[in-house]
């Protein structure tokens, strides 16, 4: 093949570069080009999986801390109502108040434990001041009056609600990327807390007004305004219920919440009717409000359990995917390295054998055997080399045979020449003797 006839087009530069380096260098460059990007992409993918897993675990820790805070909120609201009743002279609530304070301290302790066990965020310092206020709450409200009690509890509820928001932000709960879990988180963190507070306030204020001997028109008007606000909240509850149903989230107790709040709204409407014929029954009013509050708290607990289940399933899925990716990456890279190593070793060994055989041929040893086991292009070269060795050996043998024949003919010619010369000399001698005899 004429070297000048090689036409590589756009591959000319690459072919020229490849011809300038040895095979080990070529293979090393190929391995670098293949493995380095794959390693980088795999590392980035694993890092992404690890970050998503860390986010899910942070959300789980955040929810685990929010749940006891919600218990603290509920107990503070219950403590506010019971303290108001005690301050108004109802000593029958004293046992329930003691139990509420025990539950409040227990929930505060559970919150502190959950915050200490969280590794993704640190909200212990903001909670410390709130925990101190919770511990001082019985003493601060024991000797106060009704307005002071309402103010202290209202401020504490507000700050606890803000702490729940801050905790959900620090843990990433309110930034959840999936619609179903985000909707549930929004219900637990943002919606149900104001609903319970609204119902608590409407219940407490209503019971206080209904127990009075004389109606208070201004207070009744304020209750009707609150009633309108409760109707708006009820509409929000129904809408949120439909949204969650569309996302496949049911059996959360929202039906019971809507029914209980609807009944309580009816009781409020009858108790503070504007048509001059109110139905003033404090016991029925309080029972309806309690049922509505219990329904909201029960639904809140179910929704938090559902969120925890969804987050745990997501974390398990991400962990499985991450570890599966790690195992697959290790296996794939091991197989690739193994195949490249065996390719290099097989090529190098067969090439060394060919190189040895050609070196022996160059040194004049035509008895060498090009022993190569490969069946690829190297094996084809070995076959051609063995054919060449056989042909060259035959040519050398033929040349040796011809040389021996020529040497034998030369020896015969030399012997004939010597015999002819001897006879010629003998004849000359005979002639000389004959000539001498004639002269004599």
């Amino acid at each position: 093949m004429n070297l000048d006839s090689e036409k590589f087009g756009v591959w000319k530069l690459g072919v020229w570069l490849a011809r300038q380096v040895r095979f080990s260098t070529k293979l090393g460059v190929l391995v670098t080009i293949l493995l380095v990007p794959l390693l980088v992409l795999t590392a980035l993918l694993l890092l992404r999986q690890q970050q998503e897993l860390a986010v899910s675990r942070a959300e789980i820790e955040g929810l685990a801390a929010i749940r006891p805070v919600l218990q603290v909120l509920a107990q503070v609201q219950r403590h506010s109502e019971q303290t108001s009743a005690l301050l108004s002279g109802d000593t029958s609530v004293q046992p329930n108040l003691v139990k509420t304070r025990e539950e409040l301290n227990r929930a505060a302790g559970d919150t502190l434990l959950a915050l200490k066990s969280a590794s993704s965020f640190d909200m212990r310092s903001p909670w410390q001041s709130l925990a101190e206020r919770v511990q001082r709450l019985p003493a601060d409200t024991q000797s106060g009056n009704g307005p002071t009690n309402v103010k202290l509890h209202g401020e504490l509820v507000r700050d606890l609600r803000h702490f729940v928001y801050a905790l959900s932000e620090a843990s990433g709960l309110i930034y959840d990327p999936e619609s179903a879990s985000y909707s549930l988180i929004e219900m637990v963190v943002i919606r149900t807390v104001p609903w319970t507070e609204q119902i608590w306030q409407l219940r407490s204020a209503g019971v206080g007004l209904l127990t009075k001997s004389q109606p208070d028109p201004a207070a009744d008007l304020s209750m009707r305004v609150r009633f309108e606000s409760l109707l708006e909240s009820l509409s929000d509850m129904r809408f949120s219920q439909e949204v969650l149903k569309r996302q496949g989230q049911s059996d959360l107790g929202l039906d019971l919440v809507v029914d209980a709040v609807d009944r309580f709204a009816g009781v409020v409407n009858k108790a503070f009717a504007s048509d001059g014929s109110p139905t003033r029954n404090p016991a029925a009013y309080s029972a309806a409000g309690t049922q509505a509050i219990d329904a909201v708290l029960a639904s809140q607990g179910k929704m938090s359990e559902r969120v925890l289940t969804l987050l745990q399933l997501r974390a398990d899925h991400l962990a499985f995917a991450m570890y599966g990716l790690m195992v697959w990456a290790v296996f794939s890279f091991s197989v690739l390295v193994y195949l490249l190593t065996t390719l290099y070793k097989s090529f190098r060994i067969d090439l060394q054998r060919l190189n040895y055989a050609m070196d022996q041929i160059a040194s004049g040893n035509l008895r060498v055997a090009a022993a190569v086991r490969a069946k690829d292009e190297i094996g084809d070269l070995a076959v051609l080399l063995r054919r060449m060795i056989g042909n060259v050996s035959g040519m050398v043998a033929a040349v040796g045979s011809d040389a021996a024949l020529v040497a034998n003919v030369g020896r015969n010619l030399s012997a004939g020449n010597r015999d002819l010369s001897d006879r010629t000399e003998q004849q000359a001698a005979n002639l000389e003797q004959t000539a001498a005899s004639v002269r004599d």
Side-chain angles (χ1 to χ4, degrees):
M1 179 183 290
N2 188 1
L3 296 179
D4 296 333
S5 63
E6 293 180 342
K7 296 180 180 180
F8 298 106
V10 295
W11 315 107
K12 184 175 182 179
L13 178 61
V15 172
W16 180 83
L17 290 174
R19 286 174 171 174
Q20 308 306 309
V21 295
R22 302 184 68 84
F23 178 74
S24 58
T25 305
K26 299 174 187 176
L27 189 61
V29 172
L30 181 63
V31 169
T32 303
I33 294 175
L34 288 177
L35 288 183
V36 171
L38 289 176
L39 287 173
V40 172
L41 291 176
T42 304
L44 291 176
L45 187 57
L46 286 173
L47 182 61
R48 176 68 179 273
Q49 292 287 102
Q50 186 178 11
Q51 290 174 346
E52 292 182 356
L53 180 60
V55 169
S56 296
R57 288 175 175 172
E59 291 185 57
I60 293 174
E61 291 179 348
L63 185 61
I66 285 175
R67 295 177 70 181
V69 178
L70 295 177
Q71 293 295 323
V72 172
L73 259 170
Q75 297 304 325
V76 169
Q77 291 168 338
R78 184 172 286 110
H79 187 272
S80 174
E81 180 189 12
Q82 294 171 350
T83 303
S84 297
L86 182 64
L87 293 175
S88 65
D90 186 5
T91 58
S92 63
V93 301
Q94 184 65 41
N96 293 330
L97 182 59
V98 173
K99 183 179 179 180
T100 298
R101 288 172 178 173
E102 292 176 354
E103 294 292 334
L104 183 59
N105 291 329
R106 185 179 297 110
D110 293 341
T111 301
L112 182 60
L113 291 177
L115 292 175
K116 286 183 178 179
S117 62
S119 59
S120 305
F121 53 87
D122 187 5
M123 295 292 290
R124 288 175 292 179
S125 178
W127 170 250
Q128 190 63 37
S129 60
L130 289 174
E132 293 174 357
R133 291 169 61 184
V134 169
Q135 292 177 353
R136 295 196 312 265
L137 189 61
D140 293 342
T141 57
Q142 189 170 4
S143 59
N145 51 30
T148 303
N149 170 64
V150 172
K151 181 181 179 182
L152 287 174
H153 284 87
E155 291 176 349
L156 183 56
V157 168
R158 178 200 63 200
D159 293 340
L160 285 171
R161 188 169 65 247
H162 291 170
F163 179 75
V164 170
Y165 298 158
L167 189 56
S168 61
E169 181 182 9
S171 62
L173 273 171
I174 58 175
Y175 305 117
D176 192 87
E178 296 185 5
S179 59
S181 53
Y182 174 79
S183 299
L184 290 170
I185 292 168
E186 183 190 25
M187 289 288 292
V188 172
V189 174
I190 298 176
R191 294 186 180 272
T192 55
V193 174
W195 287 348
T196 55
E197 179 65 13
Q198 182 184 32
I199 299 172
W200 274 111
Q201 292 178 358
L202 191 58
R203 177 181 177 274
S204 300
V207 170
L209 290 175
L210 294 177
T211 55
K212 290 183 178 181
S213 57
Q214 296 294 329
D216 187 347
D220 291 351
L221 179 60
S222 175
M223 291 299 295
R224 285 194 292 271
V225 173
R226 291 187 178 186
F227 168 72
E228 296 296 332
S229 178
L230 180 63
L231 291 181
E232 293 180 2
S233 298
L234 183 59
S235 177
D236 291 342
M237 292 178 192
R238 290 193 175 98
F239 178 77
S240 300
Q241 181 185 16
E242 294 300 323
V243 171
L244 289 174
K245 284 183 178 179
R246 287 196 297 269
Q247 294 174 348
Q249 302 300 320
S250 57
D251 298 329
L252 298 172
L254 285 174
D255 293 335
L256 299 177
V257 171
V258 171
D259 293 340
V261 175
D262 191 26
R263 287 194 299 270
F264 179 57
V267 173
V268 174
N269 187 36
K270 291 179 180 180
F272 300 98
S274 59
D275 56 2
S277 58
T279 303
R280 308 181 76 85
N281 187 343
Y285 185 94
S286 177
T290 300
Q291 290 177 0
I293 292 170
D294 291 342
V296 174
L297 293 178
S299 179
Q300 184 187 68
K302 289 183 179 180
M303 287 186 288
S304 63
E305 286 287 347
R306 184 69 58 83
V307 173
L308 182 61
T309 301
L310 292 176
L311 293 177
Q312 191 62 54
L313 287 174
R314 187 196 306 169
D316 293 342
H317 174 74
L318 289 172
F320 178 79
M322 184 181 71
Y323 294 130
L325 179 61
M326 292 175 61
V327 172
W328 175 253
V330 171
F331 174 76
S332 299
F333 287 124
S334 300
V335 171
L336 182 59
V337 171
Y338 176 80
L339 292 176
L340 291 174
T341 303
T342 52
L343 172 64
Y344 171 72
K345 286 184 173 295
S346 63
F347 189 88
R348 182 170 175 269
I349 291 173
D350 292 339
L351 199 60
Q352 284 180 342
R353 289 178 176 176
L354 281 180
N355 187 38
Y356 172 77
M358 295 179 73
D359 182 68
Q360 291 296 311
I361 293 172
S363 300
N365 182 11
L366 297 180
R367 293 175 296 176
V368 65
V372 174
R373 299 177 181 177
K375 298 180 180 180
D376 52 6
E377 289 79 0
I378 299 295
D380 295 340
L381 288 176
V383 171
L384 292 176
L385 183 60
R386 285 194 294 269
R387 287 175 55 189
M388 184 187 73
I389 293 173
N391 293 334
V392 171
S393 298
M395 292 174 61
V396 170
V399 170
S401 177
D402 292 340
L405 179 60
V406 170
N408 185 40
V409 171
R411 286 194 296 272
N412 291 334
L413 289 175
S414 177
N417 290 333
R418 284 195 299 272
D419 185 49
L420 177 61
S421 177
D422 292 340
R423 288 197 303 270
T424 302
E425 291 177 357
Q426 183 65 35
Q427 289 178 359
N430 293 332
L431 287 174
E432 290 179 354
Q433 289 178 0
T434 302
S437 300
V438 170
R439 282 194 301 268
D440 292 337

